[in-house]
Amino acid sequence: MARHRHDRTPPPRAHWLLLLAVLAVFGVGLGVDATLLHLERTGARPDGPAPATGVPQEVLGGLPAVDARGGEVRTAGIPDRTIALTFDDGPDPEWTPKVLDVLRRHDVPATFFVTGVAAARHPDLVRRIVAEGHELGNHTMTHADLGRVSELRARWELRQTQLVLAGITGTSSALVRPPYSSTPATVDDPGWQAVRRAADAGYLAVLADLDPQDWRAPGADAIVAAATPADGRGAVVLLHDGGGDRAGTVEAVDRLVGALTDQGWRFRTTSDALGLADASSPAPLGTRLAGRASVATIGFAAVLGTLVPWLLLVATVLALGRTALVLVTAGLHRRRPAGEHTVPLVQPATVIVPAYNERAGIEATLRSIAASTHPALSVIVVDDGSTDGTAEVAEALRLPGVLVLRQENAGKSAALRTGLAAARTELVITVDADTVVEPATMAELVAPFADPTVGAVSGNAKVGNRGGLLGRWQHIEYVIGFNLDRRMYDVLECMPTVPGAVGAFRRSAIAGAGGVPGDTLAEDTDLTMALLRAGWRVVYAQRARVWTEAPAGLGQLWKQRYRWCYGTLQAMYKHRHAVVERGGAGRLGRRGLPYLLLFQVLLPVLAPVVDVAALYLLFLDPGRAAVAWAAFLAVQLVPAVVAFRLDGERLGPLWSLPLQQFVYRQLMYLVVLQSVVTAIAGARLAWHSPRRTGTAAEAAPRGVV
């Protein structure tokens, strides 16, 4: 039920820009991470040998340093009894520090050919490498085979890695080791293409004299044997500090360096051993700044990529936990004694119908109440300043036992207080003026009051205008909400809301709880929580069915749910002290409020992140994403089927459940996000009046009206 109020400040609008900005940053970050992971996969070298018909003989039979800059091929080697240790594929957070510890212990330098992605993700390790006297080389951005990717990508791989190194260390390196390279004798045509492309970009390619193939993890003994030079000849030794388990490499380096140092061998960086004075140079300011931005972006993307599985895990655990909870409690609720709350209670009751501009539906509402089987009903219609003739329509019906009261527009809570003041019975039933009541509903609502501990009863509101996708989606939501959530609340004795569309109360209970509150936008939730805290039981009457008119457009739906959500947040905060109270208040505080917080606030707040993460996973692994999507739908479909069966509804509308994930769910979580931000900002919402069409009884059983 909506009201116009003109004394409320509008909600802030800037948070929409903030939300869009956060989602954009999150999406871009995951997009960067997914793109880099995709490039790492697509840039790998395929299995199988390649011809070497185009490789110059001076390269195949030459020395490990290959300089093809300027179109002329020159090679160079390491002096005798000199070792240049080189490490590829790092930095790695586990193995690079262990390699550095070994080198520091022996006081020997080395050259680390790093990938740009790994360097950007672990910049502190890159700085440590440089600080401890080692040098850096370019191993491409994503470990791409420079001879097999496009020329444009090859230039990007080298340039981007150089930017990363400049951003971290402030320097540029002229050394490159093409991924998948080894000794000069193993260079094939794609390998030679890689060397030439690196040369065109101004790099000196560093291959190896000795390649122990430690990436195969052959064991420390085999690595030491294959990395030990023969006949005192100097060598560039190719090892790895990333890309897998490097325990054997760490042990082998320790033993190799110790043994060769005792034999008088010298260890040098590659550039020092080759006599290169210009292998490293200060990077220009623009390059350093661009590099820092690149490092920050990739680092942020890596954090998000690591965070996504955990966020999905949290969301999955919450969703599965909620599903399990509502299904178990629904089973317990169904197994309750059949006679509970079914004994007729012939006690007078007053139906209060607050109305504001409800001309389209008020006649159907009142006629359906008049047809109720409960024998002792009186009806009070409180016209809250309507401008469309609602009161005149109600009076013109001349239904027996119906009293029409008029007041200036003051809001729904004020209208309810007016109705309560005029009522002369202990039991009061509230029905919205857009609602059609089944004949047995009033008796079903009154029956539970045979238990003197019951202070309020929630009925079962159903969507009447369920045509079209939006109507079906709301129908599904109502059926699940009333037939699972309210059963759970009933079992756990923590019902947080008796809906305004259909509910019954003891007047004395309302008075003892402080009356109908007017300081929140969800007066029904606020009042129900107050009753629980006052020690009253609140129960659910499934067979007390009414048919209500749901919003027919997305704009109206947004306004309604925004008010509901914001009002619920207000009520939760207002009754937060129930967490430390006893009895019914404690059950609300330690059962109902945490449930609302987890599943009506936290889970929707996580939903945008989950959606972006789903796109991220779809890009990386469509197969796994499809399986996850199917599982997600199953988690929703199972409780939906159970709820529909419990309520005697046809399963046909559930065909639209998958489509609900693409529009309706996003609308609902945006409602929650805006409500949370509005609440934090301290703004107050205005009442909104939806346009009524009088279609509440469209799906109601024949004879209801």
Side-chain angles (χ1 to χ4, degrees), residues 269-331:
T269 62
T270 301
S271 61
D272 186 20
L274 293 172
L276 301 176
D278 58 349
S280 179
S281 60
L285 176 61
T287 301
R288 296 199 302 272
L289 294 177
R292 289 172 187 168
S294 182
V295 170
T297 301
I298 296 171
F300 176 69
V303 170
L304 289 183
T306 303
L307 189 61
V308 160
W310 290 103
L311 290 176
L312 290 178
L313 178 62
V314 170
T316 301
V317 169
L318 287 176
L320 290 176
R322 178 183 182 273
T323 300
L325 179 60
V326 297
L327 290 179
V328 169
T329 51

Side-chain angles (χ1 to χ4, degrees), residues 477-490:
E477 182 183 27
Y478 270 57
V479 171
I480 295 175
F482 278 92
N483 285 286
L484 291 184
D485 281 357
R486 276 179 168 73
R487 288 173 182 266
M488 177 203 67
Y489 290 135
D490 203 1

Side-chain angles (χ1 to χ4, degrees), residues 6 125 132 150 182 227 257 302 311 375 473 493 567:
H6 304 289
L125 287 177
E132 294 186 3
S150 68
S182 180
V257 172
L311 290 176
W473 289 339
E493 299 181 315

Side-chain angles (χ1 to χ4, degrees), residues 381-461:
V381 178
V382 182
D383 184 274
D384 187 39
S386 297
T387 58
D388 67 344
T390 297
E392 288 77 4
V393 172
E395 289 174 332
L397 295 175
R398 299 186 182 279
L399 294 173
V402 176
L403 172 66
V404 179
L405 302 178
R406 288 178 170 89
Q407 67 176 33
E408 292 186 4
N409 178 242
K412 183 177 181 179
S413 58
L416 290 172
R417 288 193 291 271
T418 298
L420 283 170
R424 294 295 178 263
T425 60
E426 168 66 358
L427 299 184
V428 293
I429 299 170
T430 61
V431 174
D432 280 349
D434 62 340
T435 299
V436 173
V437 181
E438 291 191 6
T441 291
M442 298 304 177
E444 295 288 345
L445 287 172
V446 170
F449 289 104
D451 182 347
T453 66
V454 172
V457 180
S458 168
N460 184 355

Side-chain angles (χ1 to χ4, degrees), residues 336-376:
R336 283 180 169 180
E340 187 177 20
H341 298 162
T342 60
V343 178
L345 178 64
V346 182
Q347 183 171 340
T350 301
V351 182
I352 300 174
V353 184
Y356 174 78
N357 285 351
E358 299 286 358
R359 179 187 181 93
I362 190 66
E363 179 177 352
T365 298
L366 294 179
R367 289 194 183 280
S368 68
I369 295 173
S372 296
T373 59
H374 190 73

Side-chain angles (χ1 to χ4, degrees), residues 239-257:
L239 298 165
H240 296 79
D241 64 326
D245 186 348
R246 298 294 171 246
T249 300
V250 174
E251 181 183 349
V253 170
D254 192 16
R255 290 165 51 185
L256 179 68
V257 172

